[in-house]
Amino acid sequence: MAAVPPPGAVRPGGRTARVREAVLRAAGDTLVEKGFAGLDLADIARLAEVGKTTVYRRWGTPGALAADLLKDMAETSLPRARNGDVRADLRDNARLVVKTLTDPRQGRLFKALIAASLCDGEAARALQRFYAVRIEEWAGCVTDAVARGELPPGTDPRRVIAAVSAPLYYALLNTGEALDEAAADRAAAAALAAARAGAL
């Protein structure tokens, strides 16, 4: 759905913002290296060089910290494509998903956050919000395509975008199939065909 810059990559200054940036960076690094089970707030405070009391007061639990990291990722993700052609837009969406999931850091981070969502309710709700934000961003590609007459009236933009990324996440988490541009293009083409057939 979107390539995600590292937390804190572009953010205004201020002590509160700097503390959050440092803590989220440390949390992301820890999730990449150790997974959700290794997300200890005292360790995060040490790595971020922030007072332990500050971390416990602001976040309180590993789940809340993972949730804030997902919120930050949604806020800093790249905007949707605007090619004026739905085939190209969906292809760009799929390729961006693949680029994100195959990035040495981001791919492992997403796996850790997905794992966190399976055992922590707050992280699960945050992951759902993350995907809702990203799908909403890219849904405009489909809305525009319907307006241009490229897709049937009544096409559900969110279902189309979800259909693009779903097989890519399935490959990442279940089948282990290669995630490359060819896989991205197949996912986009399948979603487009379903949308044109009125299935979405």
Side-chain angles (χ1 to χ4, degrees):
M1 281 175 295
V4 183
V10 180
R11 188 172 289 110
R15 183 181 182 282
T16 299
R18 289 194 299 272
V19 166
R20 182 172 182 247
E21 178 182 346
V23 169
L24 294 185
R25 165 58 65 177
D29 290 345
T30 299
L31 284 164
V32 168
E33 293 300 320
K34 300 179 180 179
F36 184 65
L39 199 62
D40 178 82
L41 296 188
D43 288 344
I44 296 301
R46 178 180 53 78
L47 290 169
E49 299 180 347
V50 171
K52 185 164 62 173
T53 302
T54 298
V55 174
Y56 277 94
R57 184 176 63 245
R58 177 157 182 177
W59 287 279
T61 66
L65 185 52
D68 197 25
L69 180 59
L70 279 160
K71 180 174 185 262
D72 184 84
M73 290 165 66
E75 291 170 350
T76 57
S77 294
L78 298 177
R80 71 173 177 95
R82 295 178 182 271
N83 293 299
D85 173 75
V86 68
R87 182 187 298 276
D89 284 347
L90 296 183
R91 181 200 62 213
D92 285 354
N93 177 239
R95 289 183 179 183
L96 205 48
V97 172
V98 166
K99 182 178 179 181
T100 301
L101 296 182
T102 57
D103 180 86
R105 175 184 167 83
Q106 293 302 114
R108 292 173 68 182
L109 180 56
F110 267 108
K111 283 183 178 179
L113 288 167
I114 290 168
S117 76
L118 298 176
C119 58
D120 184 275
E122 194 163 6
R125 290 186 294 275
L127 187 62
Q128 290 164 3
R129 286 193 299 271
F130 171 84
Y131 287 125
V133 168
R134 298 313 302 152
I135 287 173
E136 184 66 29
E137 170 69 22
W138 282 84
C141 298
V142 179
T143 302
D144 291 350
V146 172
R148 291 191 301 263
E150 293 181 274
L151 293 175
T155 300
D156 186 329
R158 291 159 194 81
R159 289 183 66 194
V160 175
I161 299 303
V164 171
S165 59
L168 303 173
Y169 277 92
Y170 188 79
L172 175 77
L173 298 171
N174 294 288
T175 66
E177 294 175 36
L179 281 173
D180 51 23
E181 282 198 353
D185 293 353
R186 284 194 301 272
L192 179 59
R196 284 178 168 166
L200 301 174

